[in-house]
Each structure stands twice: as C-alpha cells, then as structure tokens.
Amino acid sequence: MHIRTRFAPSPTGFIHLGNLRSALYPWAFARHNQGDFILRIEDTDIDRSTQEAVDVIIEGMAWLGLDLDEGPIYQMQRIERYREVIKQLLDAGLAYPCYMSEDDLNKLRDQQVADKEKPRYNGLWRPELGKILPAIPEGVLPVIRFKNPIGGSVIWEDAVKGQIEISNDELDDLVIARPDGTPTYNFCVVVDDLDMKITHVIRGDDHVNNTPRQINIMTALGGTLPIYAHLPTVLNELGEKMSKRNGAMSVRDYQKAGYLPEAILNYLARLGWSHGDAEVFTKEQFVNWFDLDNLGRSPAQHNPEKLLWLNHQYIQNADIAALAQATKPFAHDLGIDTEQGPNFTQVVALLKDRANTLIEIAQGAKLFYLPAPNHNPKEIAQNIPPAIVPAIKDLIMLIKNAEPSKEAYGVAFKQVLAQHQIKMPALAMPVRYALFATTQTPAIDAVLVVLGKDEAVERLSKVV
Ligand code: GLU
C-alpha cells in the first residue's frame, strides 16, 4: 500500500503548538513509510478563516521542516468538485432535498428536548419506497441531506483508541449542502480524503464524533475506508485545553523567543508518542522510529520547562557555525553589530553552554560589543583595591607575552596568584570590572581569548 497522509487544519483563529503536533505525526508516518504527505487547508468557514492563520501554519511547518508532497490544497478552490459529488449522490438516490424550514426544524428540536429525546432530524423528507412526501413548499430552497443507513452500526478499528462502534440510530441524515448549494464540512472532508487517496487519517480526537458520519458517506460513495488514528488532546500545564486565552503560544512565538526548530520538533514528537525512554533524538531517528503503535492513549500535557531543557540540549550540541548564524538575528535585534568587534562565532561558543535560548546567547553576547568602559577615577578607586594594582600590572605583562589561548591565559593568572599570594576572585573581579564594568562574565580566561589580547591589554592598562 502506498501510504498517503494529510494535515487538514481549519485556518480559523489561533494556531498553537498543540495544533502543529497534528501535522507532525501524519508527516512522520508518511516519511517513515516513503509515502506522501499532503497539506489541505479547510477554509470553507469563510467568516472565520484568515490568511494570517494560513501563513502561520505554512511558516510553522516549513520552520520545523515538515515538507509537503502535495498542497497546500484549499477547499474553497474545490467547491465545484463537491457540487459534482452532491449531484452524484442525488442521482443515485443516496441523498435528497429537504424543505423543512429553519422554523420547523427548531420546533421539532424543542419538542424532542421537551420529550427528553436526543434532538435529531425526523426524516420527514427522506424518500422511501411507498412513502408519500409532503408537497414542496413554494419559494423554499432545500438543503441536501445524506441518507444515513438505518439500523446497524458503524464500527472502526481506531489505531489509537481501539475498536469504536456507533449505532446508526445515533446519526440522523446529515445536511451535506446548504440552501445556497455550498457543501458542509463533514462532506468536504470525505470527498477530499477519497479524491486525495488518503490511506491514514491521523487527527485530533475532537473528530471522533464526525468519523461515523464520514464513514457512512464514504461507503455510500464506494470509497475504501482509510485507517483512522485519533490523537488525544494536548493540555496545557494546568491540565486545561490549550488556547490563546490561557497563554498558549504559536510556533512563531517560540521562534521569536529563541527556540530551535529541532528542539520544538523533538518536544512535539514526545507529546503523545514515545520510543522506549528516548527523550532527545534527531529528526531522522524520529522518522525511523515513528509508528502508530506507540501513540499515547491519554491526553498529553504541555511542559514548558521540559521544552526549555530540550532547547538547552540542542543549543549545547548544535553545530557552532549554524548556531551563530541562528543567533545573529537576535543579536541584531539587541543592537549588536556582529561584523564589528570579537568574532561572533567565538562569542556564541563561549556562551552556549549556559544558555537556554538564542535570546539568552544574544543577551550574553552584548557585553563583548559594547564600547570599552569609560571608568572615572572614583569608580576605579572603588572597584580596584590599590593592593591588587601590582598584580594586575604583572598580569598585563604576562598576557602580552602569552599565546592567545585559554590555556595560556589560565597559566598567566595562576602565576600572578602564586606570586602575589592572592585568591582568584580577588584578581578576577577587578579584571572583569576593568574589561567590562561588570563582575558578571563567563570564565575570565575564555573571555580574554574572545575579547582579543590587544583590546584586553588596552582596557586593563587604563585602570592601573
Ligand atoms: N479541519 C479540522 C480541524 O482543523 C481537521 C479535520 C480532519 O483532520 O479531518 O480540526
């Protein structure tokens, strides 16, 4: 079987991280099986669909490297096709026009609710052998309803949830076209999944209720049923449904906050799927390991701390040139000219082990690109104890003659400490202050390498 999967988002409102997990799994399944992955934009709700949401989806997928074999395919561009299939169903007697007015439908519903029955269409306009239908009212445009099978049940083996059975008695005749002829949501999904030859429908479990209806329509159309895999929801850290209102972030937000796409992908992969106890893995490993069998059955919970931890892992182990490249835009945002001053890649290498995000690296880098501090004598007197001045002078001499390496500068420091019988902080703090007007910097020997010998000597000489 040639595997074909799809991600079929509705571009309505806010697209959070949990939404994109519904793209990741079908993508991984297609890639694992050398199949095809299709992006379908379900934009038939024209009032709520926005181009902004479409852009967020497409950009987010591209950023995570979820490449497409087909699409984006927009449902709004397939309206003619849906109309064609509706006609086909009408012609085959598998669908029928229903002239019940909104008013009558509401009355029917109210009565059923009063009788403690489940509100459902009563089949008034459903043609049956020997049944006489009401006279067609004048000036009323009908909806088109699908003739749902009566009796029996719809059964499918869900790849995540196991066997699900829904009695047909639960399902009334679904409206598949509105009075103006536009097709409805569940109908479009079926036509698309058939036309696109989708073999595996992997989607959120908020669609479980739609599945029996979709299966019935699909069967009526003579289609082969796909395998369904309904993914449990992603909850936020408080155990609530994720939404913008309670602080969910979009993929774009994570990008802006200095997360690496590899970390996000790894994180999302584990949000409802596992492979033994593997926590940190490459995209290739994920694709190799991915299988529907290992999808979780209970809701996954978003854990921002874990995501931050993963981001840190990826930053620490990143290719240093690529990491510097990825950090540059964040540095530029902070006003750092990465082309002037110390080598930016070296700066990033120095800072990466302690950073959780690219923003943190950029913030740390700022120190190296600020102009040399302009200490006034009073400040110097406060921060450089006179007793340390001879030690700093010796240090300057040793640095001047040392190899420009962390090791050599380390030796220089040790020599001065021994000679002057002082401890490291007593020397390092004034040196940091002299170099940067702060006492918070990474390891001082490494800092000297990055700042450069000449610059360091010049700055130190100004305070002694
Ligand atoms: N458009 C639906 C949604 O965004 C998904 C439909 C489907 O995957 O079948 O929830």
mmCIF file of all heavy atoms in Angstrom, residues 104-127:
data_model
loop_
_atom_site.group_PDB
_atom_site.id
_atom_site.type_symbol
_atom_site.label_atom_id
_atom_site.label_comp_id
_atom_site.label_asym_id
_atom_site.label_seq_id
_atom_site.Cartn_x
_atom_site.Cartn_y
_atom_site.Cartn_z
ATOM 1 N N ASP A 104 -39.451 25.169 11.436
ATOM 2 C CA ASP A 104 -39.991 23.836 11.738
ATOM 3 C C ASP A 104 -38.929 22.961 12.396
ATOM 4 O O ASP A 104 -39.219 22.163 13.295
ATOM 5 C CB ASP A 104 -40.517 23.167 10.459
ATOM 6 C CG ASP A 104 -41.828 23.815 10.010
ATOM 7 O OD1 ASP A 104 -42.394 24.594 10.816
ATOM 8 O OD2 ASP A 104 -42.261 23.566 8.871
ATOM 9 N N LEU A 105 -37.726 23.134 11.935
ATOM 10 C CA LEU A 105 -36.623 22.355 12.496
ATOM 11 C C LEU A 105 -36.430 22.700 13.975
ATOM 12 O O LEU A 105 -36.257 21.818 14.826
ATOM 13 C CB LEU A 105 -35.352 22.671 11.701
ATOM 14 C CG LEU A 105 -34.247 21.628 11.694
ATOM 15 C CD1 LEU A 105 -34.759 20.292 11.172
ATOM 16 C CD2 LEU A 105 -33.086 22.089 10.804
ATOM 17 N N ASN A 106 -36.521 23.999 14.268
ATOM 18 C CA ASN A 106 -36.394 24.435 15.659
ATOM 19 C C ASN A 106 -37.530 23.907 16.518
ATOM 20 O O ASN A 106 -37.315 23.488 17.654
ATOM 21 C CB ASN A 106 -36.345 25.967 15.748
ATOM 22 C CG ASN A 106 -35.015 26.502 15.225
ATOM 23 O OD1 ASN A 106 -34.011 25.784 15.244
ATOM 24 N ND2 ASN A 106 -35.008 27.737 14.744
ATOM 25 N N LYS A 107 -38.737 23.940 15.943
ATOM 26 C CA LYS A 107 -39.909 23.434 16.683
ATOM 27 C C LYS A 107 -39.722 21.950 17.008
ATOM 28 O O LYS A 107 -39.977 21.494 18.122
ATOM 29 C CB LYS A 107 -41.179 23.623 15.855
ATOM 30 C CG LYS A 107 -41.800 24.988 16.070
ATOM 31 C CD LYS A 107 -43.132 25.080 15.356
ATOM 32 C CE LYS A 107 -43.368 26.505 14.867
ATOM 33 N NZ LYS A 107 -44.148 26.575 13.626
ATOM 34 N N LEU A 108 -39.258 21.219 15.985
ATOM 35 C CA LEU A 108 -39.032 19.784 16.145
ATOM 36 C C LEU A 108 -38.029 19.549 17.274
ATOM 37 O O LEU A 108 -38.233 18.720 18.167
ATOM 38 C CB LEU A 108 -38.486 19.215 14.819
ATOM 39 C CG LEU A 108 -38.095 17.742 14.800
ATOM 40 C CD1 LEU A 108 -39.319 16.855 14.994
ATOM 41 C CD2 LEU A 108 -37.403 17.371 13.479
ATOM 42 N N ARG A 109 -36.956 20.328 17.232
ATOM 43 C CA ARG A 109 -35.897 20.188 18.234
ATOM 44 C C ARG A 109 -36.450 20.480 19.641
ATOM 45 O O ARG A 109 -36.221 19.718 20.572
ATOM 46 C CB ARG A 109 -34.761 21.164 17.889
ATOM 47 C CG ARG A 109 -33.496 20.903 18.643
ATOM 48 C CD ARG A 109 -32.329 21.632 18.010
ATOM 49 N NE ARG A 109 -32.059 21.188 16.647
ATOM 50 C CZ ARG A 109 -31.538 21.951 15.692
ATOM 51 N NH1 ARG A 109 -31.269 23.225 15.918
ATOM 52 N NH2 ARG A 109 -31.303 21.457 14.495
ATOM 53 N N ASP A 110 -37.211 21.558 19.757
ATOM 54 C CA ASP A 110 -37.768 21.934 21.066
ATOM 55 C C ASP A 110 -38.657 20.828 21.619
ATOM 56 O O ASP A 110 -38.610 20.507 22.811
ATOM 57 C CB ASP A 110 -38.578 23.237 20.955
ATOM 58 C CG ASP A 110 -37.671 24.430 20.654
ATOM 59 O OD1 ASP A 110 -36.436 24.262 20.803
ATOM 60 O OD2 ASP A 110 -38.182 25.500 20.259
ATOM 61 N N GLN A 111 -39.464 20.266 20.723
ATOM 62 C CA GLN A 111 -40.362 19.188 21.137
ATOM 63 C C GLN A 111 -39.549 17.989 21.637
ATOM 64 O O GLN A 111 -39.845 17.406 22.681
ATOM 65 C CB GLN A 111 -41.244 18.775 19.946
ATOM 66 C CG GLN A 111 -42.354 17.781 20.309
ATOM 67 C CD GLN A 111 -43.270 18.347 21.410
ATOM 68 O OE1 GLN A 111 -43.769 19.464 21.298
ATOM 69 N NE2 GLN A 111 -43.445 17.582 22.483
ATOM 70 N N GLN A 112 -38.488 17.650 20.876
ATOM 71 C CA GLN A 112 -37.674 16.487 21.261
ATOM 72 C C GLN A 112 -36.993 16.728 22.608
ATOM 73 O O GLN A 112 -36.924 15.833 23.441
ATOM 74 C CB GLN A 112 -36.632 16.199 20.166
ATOM 75 C CG GLN A 112 -37.265 15.562 18.924
ATOM 76 C CD GLN A 112 -36.338 15.573 17.726
ATOM 77 O OE1 GLN A 112 -35.485 16.438 17.592
ATOM 78 N NE2 GLN A 112 -36.541 14.608 16.833
ATOM 79 N N VAL A 113 -36.511 17.969 22.785
ATOM 80 C CA VAL A 113 -35.858 18.287 24.062
ATOM 81 C C VAL A 113 -36.875 18.173 25.200
ATOM 82 O O VAL A 113 -36.592 17.584 26.249
ATOM 83 C CB VAL A 113 -35.208 19.696 24.018
ATOM 84 C CG1 VAL A 113 -34.734 20.119 25.405
ATOM 85 C CG2 VAL A 113 -34.033 19.702 23.038
ATOM 86 N N ALA A 114 -38.096 18.701 24.945
ATOM 87 C CA ALA A 114 -39.163 18.622 25.960
ATOM 88 C C ALA A 114 -39.485 17.161 26.276
ATOM 89 O O ALA A 114 -39.761 16.813 27.428
ATOM 90 C CB ALA A 114 -40.406 19.363 25.483
ATOM 91 N N ASP A 115 -39.427 16.303 25.264
ATOM 92 C CA ASP A 115 -39.712 14.867 25.460
ATOM 93 C C ASP A 115 -38.491 14.094 25.947
ATOM 94 O O ASP A 115 -38.493 12.862 25.962
ATOM 95 C CB ASP A 115 -40.207 14.236 24.146
ATOM 96 C CG ASP A 115 -41.548 14.821 23.708
ATOM 97 O OD1 ASP A 115 -42.196 15.479 24.554
ATOM 98 O OD2 ASP A 115 -41.918 14.639 22.530
ATOM 99 N N LYS A 116 -37.441 14.827 26.263
ATOM 100 C CA LYS A 116 -36.178 14.225 26.723
ATOM 101 C C LYS A 116 -35.585 13.265 25.691
ATOM 102 O O LYS A 116 -34.980 12.244 26.032
ATOM 103 C CB LYS A 116 -36.374 13.504 28.065
ATOM 104 C CG LYS A 116 -36.945 14.387 29.164
ATOM 105 C CD LYS A 116 -36.277 14.111 30.472
ATOM 106 C CE LYS A 116 -36.749 14.963 31.639
ATOM 107 N NZ LYS A 116 -37.345 16.255 31.366
ATOM 108 N N GLU A 117 -35.756 13.615 24.420
ATOM 109 C CA GLU A 117 -35.141 12.826 23.360
ATOM 110 C C GLU A 117 -33.935 13.578 22.825
ATOM 111 O O GLU A 117 -33.834 14.790 22.983
ATOM 112 C CB GLU A 117 -36.132 12.633 22.190
ATOM 113 C CG GLU A 117 -37.217 11.624 22.467
ATOM 114 C CD GLU A 117 -38.288 11.663 21.376
ATOM 115 O OE1 GLU A 117 -37.977 12.142 20.260
ATOM 116 O OE2 GLU A 117 -39.413 11.236 21.661
ATOM 117 N N LYS A 118 -33.075 12.838 22.165
ATOM 118 C CA LYS A 118 -31.916 13.488 21.554
ATOM 119 C C LYS A 118 -32.408 14.247 20.312
ATOM 120 O O LYS A 118 -33.096 13.664 19.473
ATOM 121 C CB LYS A 118 -30.912 12.399 21.147
ATOM 122 C CG LYS A 118 -29.571 12.951 20.747
ATOM 123 C CD LYS A 118 -28.571 11.832 20.494
ATOM 124 C CE LYS A 118 -27.396 12.397 19.732
ATOM 125 N NZ LYS A 118 -26.490 11.382 19.242
ATOM 126 N N PRO A 119 -32.100 15.546 20.188
ATOM 127 C CA PRO A 119 -32.589 16.288 19.024
ATOM 128 C C PRO A 119 -32.006 15.709 17.739
ATOM 129 O O PRO A 119 -30.792 15.518 17.644
ATOM 130 C CB PRO A 119 -32.072 17.716 19.253
ATOM 131 C CG PRO A 119 -31.552 17.758 20.633
ATOM 132 C CD PRO A 119 -31.262 16.364 21.057
ATOM 133 N N ARG A 120 -32.849 15.402 16.819
ATOM 134 C CA ARG A 120 -32.382 14.882 15.530
ATOM 135 C C ARG A 120 -33.449 15.122 14.477
ATOM 136 O O ARG A 120 -34.644 15.199 14.789
ATOM 137 C CB ARG A 120 -32.034 13.399 15.627
ATOM 138 C CG ARG A 120 -33.221 12.487 15.935
ATOM 139 C CD ARG A 120 -32.792 11.206 16.624
ATOM 140 N NE ARG A 120 -31.802 10.452 15.855
ATOM 141 C CZ ARG A 120 -32.083 9.652 14.837
ATOM 142 N NH1 ARG A 120 -33.332 9.499 14.432
ATOM 143 N NH2 ARG A 120 -31.142 8.993 14.215
ATOM 144 N N TYR A 121 -33.006 15.203 13.243
ATOM 145 C CA TYR A 121 -33.937 15.358 12.131
ATOM 146 C C TYR A 121 -34.814 14.098 12.039
ATOM 147 O O TYR A 121 -34.311 12.986 12.205
ATOM 148 C CB TYR A 121 -33.131 15.582 10.843
ATOM 149 C CG TYR A 121 -33.988 15.635 9.611
ATOM 150 C CD1 TYR A 121 -34.911 16.667 9.431
ATOM 151 C CD2 TYR A 121 -33.888 14.649 8.632
ATOM 152 C CE1 TYR A 121 -35.707 16.708 8.304
ATOM 153 C CE2 TYR A 121 -34.675 14.693 7.496
ATOM 154 C CZ TYR A 121 -35.589 15.719 7.339
ATOM 155 O OH TYR A 121 -36.381 15.761 6.233
ATOM 156 N N ASN A 122 -36.092 14.297 11.756
ATOM 157 C CA ASN A 122 -37.015 13.154 11.823
ATOM 158 C C ASN A 122 -37.235 12.423 10.489
ATOM 159 O O ASN A 122 -38.088 11.558 10.387
ATOM 160 C CB ASN A 122 -38.367 13.605 12.378
ATOM 161 C CG ASN A 122 -39.020 14.643 11.462
ATOM 162 O OD1 ASN A 122 -38.462 14.969 10.390
ATOM 163 N ND2 ASN A 122 -40.159 15.148 11.870
ATOM 164 N N GLY A 123 -36.495 12.824 9.464
ATOM 165 C CA GLY A 123 -36.591 12.103 8.199
ATOM 166 C C GLY A 123 -37.839 12.425 7.391
ATOM 167 O O GLY A 123 -38.212 11.668 6.492
ATOM 168 N N LEU A 124 -38.477 13.551 7.711
ATOM 169 C CA LEU A 124 -39.737 13.906 7.035
ATOM 170 C C LEU A 124 -39.625 13.865 5.512
ATOM 171 O O LEU A 124 -40.508 13.363 4.834
ATOM 172 C CB LEU A 124 -40.180 15.311 7.493
ATOM 173 C CG LEU A 124 -41.498 15.806 6.922
ATOM 174 C CD1 LEU A 124 -42.671 15.010 7.509
ATOM 175 C CD2 LEU A 124 -41.708 17.302 7.207
ATOM 176 N N TRP A 125 -38.535 14.392 4.975
ATOM 177 C CA TRP A 125 -38.391 14.475 3.518
ATOM 178 C C TRP A 125 -37.579 13.338 2.926
ATOM 179 O O TRP A 125 -37.226 13.355 1.755
ATOM 180 C CB TRP A 125 -37.748 15.837 3.138
ATOM 181 C CG TRP A 125 -38.683 16.976 3.373
ATOM 182 C CD1 TRP A 125 -38.848 17.690 4.511
ATOM 183 C CD2 TRP A 125 -39.628 17.494 2.426
ATOM 184 N NE1 TRP A 125 -39.822 18.627 4.369
ATOM 185 C CE2 TRP A 125 -40.331 18.545 3.078
ATOM 186 C CE3 TRP A 125 -39.969 17.180 1.103
ATOM 187 C CZ2 TRP A 125 -41.323 19.282 2.456
ATOM 188 C CZ3 TRP A 125 -40.954 17.918 0.472
ATOM 189 C CH2 TRP A 125 -41.629 18.945 1.148
ATOM 190 N N ARG A 126 -37.287 12.370 3.741
ATOM 191 C CA ARG A 126 -36.474 11.245 3.259
ATOM 192 C C ARG A 126 -37.337 10.325 2.401
ATOM 193 O O ARG A 126 -38.340 9.778 2.872
ATOM 194 C CB ARG A 126 -35.915 10.491 4.465
ATOM 195 C CG ARG A 126 -35.100 9.254 4.090
ATOM 196 C CD ARG A 126 -34.486 8.632 5.343
ATOM 197 N NE ARG A 126 -33.933 7.320 5.041
ATOM 198 C CZ ARG A 126 -32.684 6.943 5.351
ATOM 199 N NH1 ARG A 126 -31.872 7.772 5.971
ATOM 200 N NH2 ARG A 126 -32.261 5.733 5.055
ATOM 201 N N PRO A 127 -36.969 10.161 1.141
ATOM 202 C CA PRO A 127 -37.798 9.309 0.283
ATOM 203 C C PRO A 127 -37.638 7.837 0.664
ATOM 204 O O PRO A 127 -36.514 7.395 0.932
ATOM 205 C CB PRO A 127 -37.248 9.562 -1.128
ATOM 206 C CG PRO A 127 -36.017 10.366 -0.983
ATOM 207 C CD PRO A 127 -35.780 10.679 0.439
#
